[in-house]
Amino acid sequence: MNEITLYKEIIENKTNHDFLRKTIHKPVIDEDKLFILLKLIPKDTASAQTNRDVYIITTMLVQVALDTHELVMDNDDNETDDEKLVKQLYVLAGDYYSGLYYYLLSEIDDLTFIHKLASAIKAINERKMKLYYGEYETFSEYTSLKVEVESLLIETVANYFQHIDFIDCVKQWQYIKLLSKEKERIVNDEILLNSMMDSKKTNPYMTAEDKFSSIIQREWTSFNNKLMKLPHSTTDLQSYFNQKMVDHVYRNTLNAEEG
Amino acid sequence: MKLPKTYGYLKKDLEVIEEALNQTIQAEHPVLRQASIDLLNAGGKRIRPVFVILAGQLGDYDAESISKAAVALELIHMATLVHDDVIDEATLRRGKPTIKHLYGNRIAMYTGDYILARALEEVTTINNPKAHRVLSKALVEVAIGEIDQIQDKFNWEQNLRDYLRRIKRKTALLIATSCQLGALLSGLSDKEVKLLYRYGYYIGMSYQIIDDILDFTETAKQLGKPAGNDLLQGNITLPVLYAIRDREFNEMVQEVFKKPDLIQSDDMKLVINTLKQTDAIRKSYELSDMYLKKALDTLNELPNSKSKITLQTIAKYIGRRRV
């Protein structure tokens, strides 16, 4: 069993609750973030193997808590009783996972790490408010907010373990994923955020999809260069993201173009 | 006598905590800030901070850590309320519009998460590992209690034990933890910490039972929400558990709640009036009184002091409280 599968199982077990499991699906665990955490907190960094586990698990619990609360939508008048129950349990499941993060870290007495993660949650919610109210004027402001929401937690852990060289990579990877999603949405005519793109930086004769493809390619090259320069860069780190790029970004692009 | 009068002499300590609460929720985003301030200004008895202070005064009172713990507990309570209003689809709380009603579910979720994060940021500046183990465990238990409550909705088969376990997690635990934290942070002995935890637990149980009684005995105006609202939401509370032992009430309530979505206010009036005809309210008060007696007995094992007298007065007040 590889490390990602192992930790996913541990997190699923930690968050296991009979009624939640019966009524709502298992928490979705972001594999990319989990993989980055595994690389960020190498086995020889934390004081003991058990503590390494706790740092990884609790950070992912916070992520899962935030992601679960994102599933709570604004009211729908036509909501069925079952949908209402699911919504109620998303609220409570998120709160439960948040409580678990605090509980597990208090067991190893790392108050500083609890504090740092709480600060990240605070900052993430501030940015979510801006996104909710559409408080951005340019595409760049929008992506910057989205990338921060997705990377602030890992950035906090990177700072805590003094691996700040990871931060740029994490942000860039989130940016690439976001661009690929936006490109897919444009192809599907869901939203035309490209109208917000700075026209000076892009060729006005290019189609929206081409613009995105071009930026994604540029970011991917830059990301790869950064990845190779990481002091703790390993071949599995590079091959992981190469595979993800193929699986996620190119497949999305392909699906969208075929669709 | 009103509850705040019983601890009027704590006014200065509570003002410090109120100011700290206000400072803690000054978010950058204007809506997040306003939502948090609205919630704070909606009032509340600040019963958790009061218990932290009173328990703290029984030992070597460290104003800074006591204030931080009190602020954290009140913020945790507030965060729970914002999310509860999403769950219950509540439009009013203490007679004022809820955050969910004013800004929508998403903003209520962000506000609750923000407030909880601020609570943890503040409380983790207290360097007392045991206090964090106690508080974090309580937080997990409270969440489980809320999930249990959803699971037990409209479950007419539940028994007294289910109800007591649920209200322990829902209410009694945070009050018990408030007392325990105050005691821990002021260096009281293990025995005294345990006694104060038990006092808080008994008080919390009694407090919730009386809350559940008042849901049937008080008017909508006094409650700030419709009478019988808990039952309407599917929460089977102690008075209902006692009342359904009465065949007439049992048959009537089962019939009315066959289609909960179609229940009219006249149906609820009938349910409430029939419940009042049974011995349910009296028996509920008896159980509440038993917890209060246990709370008072627990205090007897602590040395005499002004704080102890106040804790006794609060216990006596809770037994007589109306809303």
Side-chain angles (χ1 to χ4, degrees):
Chain A
M1 189 188 286
N2 72 26
E3 257 199 319
I4 292 181
T5 316
L6 174 72
Y7 277 88
K8 275 179 83 171
E9 261 191 39
I10 297 172
I11 295 161
E12 280 166 11
N13 287 336
K14 291 274 179 205
T15 54
N16 195 21
H17 182 287
D18 282 350
F19 187 58
L20 290 181
R21 194 52 52 87
K22 269 186 222 159
T23 323
I24 57 173
H25 56 69
K26 283 190 289 190
V28 178
I29 295 162
D30 186 323
E31 283 192 14
D32 291 357
K33 285 178 186 150
L34 177 55
F35 179 77
I36 293 166
L37 282 174
L38 291 166
K39 295 294 153 192
L40 246 180
I41 313 174
K43 286 176 186 168
D44 56 353
T45 303
S47 53
Q49 173 63 21
T50 45
N51 283 7
R52 178 184 185 248
D53 286 353
V54 176
Y55 292 126
I56 292 165
I57 292 162
T58 51
T59 308
M60 287 312 296
L61 281 173
V62 172
Q63 188 62 56
V64 163
L66 291 170
D67 292 345
T68 305
H69 278 172
E70 278 302 298
L71 300 170
V72 179
M73 297 298 157
D74 279 327
N75 262 8
D76 172 7
D77 291 339
N78 300 318
E79 202 172 51
T80 64
D81 284 350
D82 284 348
E83 286 167 344
K84 192 189 278 185
L85 175 64
V86 167
K87 179 188 74 187
Q88 291 172 328
L89 291 180
Y90 282 152
V91 175
L92 295 175
D95 291 347
Y96 175 50
Y97 306 150
S98 291
L100 283 175
Y101 118 73
Y102 180 29
Y103 175 69
L104 291 175
L105 283 169
S106 72
E107 290 283 296
I108 62 161
D109 298 340
D110 196 334
L111 305 184
T112 311
F113 198 63
I114 302 169
H115 185 93
K116 300 267 183 205
L117 290 184
S119 302
I121 300 169
K122 176 186 74 177
I124 287 168
N125 281 290
E126 291 272 13
R127 281 152 186 80
K128 282 182 176 176
M129 293 293 290
K130 285 189 171 184
L131 282 166
Y132 182 86
Y133 285 110
E135 291 169 4
Y136 42 82
E137 286 178 5
T138 63
F139 184 72
S140 158
E141 277 177 31
Y142 166 75
T143 53
S144 164
L145 282 170
K146 289 284 266 188
V147 166
E148 281 182 351
V149 164
E150 289 301 324
S151 55
L152 266 169
L153 210 52
I154 305 285
E155 194 176 327
T156 300
V157 181
N159 273 317
Y160 186 79
F161 287 99
Q162 296 174 337
H163 283 324
I164 48 171
D165 35 9
F166 250 101
I167 295 172
D168 261 1
C169 285
V170 170
K171 282 184 169 174
Q172 200 155 15
W173 176 245
Q174 292 301 337
Y175 184 48
I176 292 167
K177 278 173 77 172
L178 176 63
L179 288 176
S180 110
K181 265 189 204 161
E182 292 300 333
K183 181 181 170 181
E184 190 183 353
R185 287 162 73 179
I186 284 168
V187 173
N188 291 333
D189 277 341
E190 280 179 26
I191 190 165
L192 286 172
L193 268 171
N194 66 315
S195 61
M196 295 171 68
M197 286 175 83
D198 190 345
S199 57
K200 286 175 198 164
K201 287 183 187 167
T202 53
N203 181 342
Y205 300 106
M206 284 170 92
T207 65
E209 296 107 281
D210 289 345
K211 279 182 205 170
F212 272 90
S213 295
S214 149
I215 302 171
I216 290 168
Q217 194 50 54
R218 192 182 66 208
E219 293 294 325
W220 173 242
T221 310
S222 155
F223 173 71
N224 259 312
N225 288 336
K226 280 182 192 158
L227 217 51
M228 278 188 282
K229 282 180 193 159
L230 283 178
H232 22 258
S233 179
T234 53
T235 47
D236 63 333
L237 195 67
Q238 286 153 26
S239 58
Y240 175 86
F241 284 107
N242 269 309
Q243 191 56 48
K244 280 283 166 175
M245 189 68 177
V246 173
D247 287 353
H248 182 73
V249 181
Y250 289 146
R251 193 196 55 211
N252 275 353
T253 309
L254 217 64
N255 287 346
E257 281 165 1
E258 281 169 1
Chain B
M1 184 168 55
K2 290 226 177 246
L3 180 59
K5 280 194 180 170
T6 62
Y7 48 77
Y9 70 98
L10 300 179
K11 196 176 167 211
K12 277 194 176 165
D13 299 88
L14 284 169
E15 277 171 2
V16 170
I17 286 161
E18 204 64 25
E19 178 56 25
L21 278 167
N22 195 43
Q23 288 299 318
T24 311
I25 52 158
Q26 295 297 323
E28 284 171 30
H29 195 280
V31 176
L32 192 54
R33 188 167 59 240
Q34 194 55 50
S36 307
I37 290 169
D38 286 349
L39 195 64
L40 190 65
N41 291 342
K45 298 181 183 77
R46 305 286 186 256
I47 195 81
R48 290 152 199 85
V50 167
F51 283 126
V52 180
I53 295 170
L54 288 171
Q57 285 177 342
L58 290 167
D60 294 328
Y61 192 81
D62 173 14
E64 199 187 334
S65 64
I66 290 289
S67 166
K68 281 177 181 169
V71 165
L73 276 155
E74 192 63 12
L75 290 179
I76 288 168
H77 173 61
M78 276 170 60
T80 314
L81 294 185
V82 189
H83 287 177
D84 277 355
D85 290 337
V86 174
I87 292 167
D88 298 340
E89 297 185 351
T91 52
L92 290 176
R93 179 170 286 280
R94 296 185 189 119
K96 291 181 180 162
T98 59
I99 292 177
K100 170 238 150 13
H101 183 61
L102 287 175
Y103 306 101
N105 287 344
R106 297 297 283 267
I107 299 303
M109 295 314 296
Y110 297 156
T111 307
D113 285 350
Y114 171 85
I115 292 175
L116 178 63
R118 289 296 293 123
L120 296 188
E121 266 192 312
E122 283 301 301
V123 81
T124 44
T125 57
I126 302 174
N127 189 13
N128 185 323
K130 198 171 179 188
H132 293 287
R133 286 197 282 275
V134 161
L135 181 59
S136 63
K137 195 169 180 214
L139 207 59
V140 172
E141 290 287 317
V142 167
I144 294 174
E146 295 262 3
I147 297 168
D148 288 348
Q149 180 161 306
I150 300 277
Q151 188 172 10
D152 285 341
K153 271 191 179 185
F154 296 115
N155 171 15
W156 302 99
E157 302 301 316
Q158 65 184 282
N159 56 33
L160 185 61
R161 186 183 292 198
D162 296 322
Y163 167 80
L164 294 176
R165 190 180 54 214
R166 204 168 61 234
I167 67 165
K168 175 190 171 186
R169 285 172 166 157
K170 181 183 167 185
T171 306
L173 252 175
L174 268 192
I175 294 178
T177 305
S178 302
C179 295
Q180 191 181 15
L181 280 184
L184 265 174
L185 296 172
S186 57
L188 290 179
S189 69
D190 286 351
K191 188 190 169 197
E192 288 166 320
V193 172
K194 219 174 261 179
L195 284 171
L196 281 158
Y197 173 87
R198 274 170 47 200
Y199 164 83
Y201 165 71
Y202 294 137
I203 285 286
M205 295 297 279
S206 167
Y207 190 89
Q208 187 57 52
I209 290 171
I210 289 180
D211 230 36
D212 293 340
I213 295 171
L214 296 177
D215 190 53
F216 291 105
T217 57
E218 301 303 291
T219 64
K221 197 178 171 192
Q222 286 165 315
L223 293 166
K225 59 182 181 179
N229 193 50
D230 288 338
L231 183 57
L232 200 57
Q233 296 280 339
N235 296 324
I236 317 285
T237 57
L238 187 62
V240 181
L241 278 176
Y242 281 140
I244 55 174
R245 293 175 185 176
D246 179 279
R247 211 174 78 184
E248 187 192 343
F249 178 83
N250 195 349
E251 285 170 3
M252 186 269 299
V253 82
Q254 301 285 355
E255 184 60 33
V256 169
F257 277 86
K258 262 184 187 164
K259 289 182 179 169
D261 292 343
L262 301 178
I263 292 174
Q264 304 289 316
S265 65
D266 279 352
D267 297 324
M268 277 314 289
K269 272 185 196 159
L270 177 68
V271 170
I272 294 168
N273 286 335
T274 316
L275 182 140
K276 284 181 185 169
Q277 305 294 317
T278 71
D279 61 358
I281 300 294
R282 180 181 56 79
K283 288 184 70 120
S284 300
Y285 270 118
E286 278 173 12
L287 190 60
S288 162
D289 288 345
M290 189 204 77
Y291 279 113
L292 286 178
K293 186 179 176 307
K294 283 188 171 194
L296 290 167
D297 289 348
T298 308
L299 288 180
N300 287 340
E301 294 184 52
L302 289 165
N304 289 331
S305 68
K306 193 175 178 182
S307 306
K308 178 177 153 177
I309 293 168
T310 310
L311 289 170
Q312 285 167 332
T313 314
I314 289 175
K316 287 170 189 162
Y317 168 85
I318 282 174
R320 296 191 303 270
R321 90 183 163 99
R322 296 289 177 270
V323 192

